[in-house]
């Protein structure tokens, strides 16, 4: 019998009960599905990570928001170019241990493997730009109403066919 995944294993008792009670109050919603209208080998693919990644040379995510209220994070997003490598990127998310991404960006934004898929002809092309936002927020109103639509507009402008979501 396979092991059951415990999504709450790193939460203390009070936090675990609180999160479970919030989840029970959620009304299930229909997930919009958009079928791919061309072969994968012709698709432009972009990555979107919830790890709060940003270029070291660019504006950081506002970590003070998360420090003041650990249930809420900076609702903005950052653009990461395809050419970015581990040394170019920093994780600003305080809920995620940065150790592994500091060793290899590909564990939370697998740009290099995506480029390999392009070379192998599995995908049409790896996007020139990828995106990151801060996940783990129970107040995602600004993220969902402002940042996500802006990311989607950019992805459409860049003629991206598929997005791979990379959870932190």
């Amino acid at each position: 019998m396979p092991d059951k995944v415990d999504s709450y294993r790193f939460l203390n008792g009070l936090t675990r009960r609180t999160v479970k009670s919030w989840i029970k109050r959620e009304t299930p919603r229909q997930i919009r599905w958009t079928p791919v209208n061309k072969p994968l080998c012709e698709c432009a693919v972009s990555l979107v990570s919830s790890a709060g990644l940003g270029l070291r040379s660019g504006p950081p995510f506002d970590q003070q928001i998360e420090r003041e209220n650990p249930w809420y994070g900076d609702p903005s997003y950052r653009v990461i170019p395809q050419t970015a490598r581990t040394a170019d990127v920093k994780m600003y998310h305080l809920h995620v241990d940065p150790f592994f991404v500091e060793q290899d960006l590909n564990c939370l934004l697998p740009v290099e493997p995506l480029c390999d898929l392009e070379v192998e002809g599995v995908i049409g092309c790896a996007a020139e730009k990828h995106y990151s936002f801060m996940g783990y927020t129970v107040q995602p109103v600004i993220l969902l109403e402002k940042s996500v639509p802006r990311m989607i507009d950019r992805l459409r402008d860049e003629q991206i066919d598929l997005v791979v979501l990379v959870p932190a």
Side-chain angles (χ1 to χ4, degrees):
M1 184 161 135
D3 292 335
K4 184 177 177 183
V5 174
D6 181 3
S7 301
Y8 310 100
R9 70 176 174 238
F10 298 114
L11 302 178
N12 67 35
L14 177 61
T15 304
R16 180 182 301 123
R17 287 190 300 277
T18 301
V19 170
K20 283 183 173 183
S21 72
W22 288 342
I23 291 170
K24 286 179 184 174
R25 286 189 286 169
E26 273 295 309
T27 304
R29 293 177 287 236
Q30 184 71 26
I31 297 172
R32 283 197 264 164
W33 176 258
T34 304
V36 180
N37 58 5
K38 60 185 173 181
L40 185 58
C41 64
E42 296 175 13
C43 290
V45 182
S46 183
L47 304 170
V48 176
S49 172
S50 63
L53 302 170
L55 291 174
R56 290 181 185 275
S57 61
F61 281 92
D62 185 348
Q63 292 177 304
Q64 192 57 35
I65 295 171
E66 195 175 3
R67 284 186 186 100
E68 291 173 6
N69 181 355
W71 295 102
Y72 186 66
D74 183 335
S76 62
Y77 67 92
R78 300 292 178 273
V79 179
I80 313 285
Q82 181 195 93
T83 56
R85 295 299 177 254
T86 303
D88 304 318
V89 176
K90 179 175 175 156
M91 177 191 285
Y92 293 96
H93 205 312
L94 299 176
H95 283 91
V96 181
D97 184 348
F99 176 79
F100 294 105
V101 78
E102 289 171 354
Q103 308 304 308
D104 184 2
L105 173 63
N106 291 298
C107 70
L108 288 176
L109 194 73
V111 176
E112 292 176 69
L114 186 66
C115 290
D116 291 345
L117 292 174
E118 177 182 346
V119 170
E120 294 167 12
V122 175
I123 63 170
C125 69
E128 294 292 319
K129 298 174 185 168
H130 304 282
Y131 299 86
S132 187
F133 65 94
M134 292 182 70
Y136 194 86
T137 182
V138 297
Q139 299 170 341
V141 175
I142 295 171
L143 175 69
L144 294 174
E145 291 180 357
K146 293 186 179 176
S147 297
V148 170
R150 288 180 186 144
M151 279 190 280
I152 291 169
D153 287 344
R154 290 184 72 146
L155 290 160
R156 283 186 178 134
D157 290 345
E158 295 160 15
Q159 299 181 343
I160 300 303
D161 301 299
L162 296 172
V163 173
V164 177
L165 301 175
V166 185

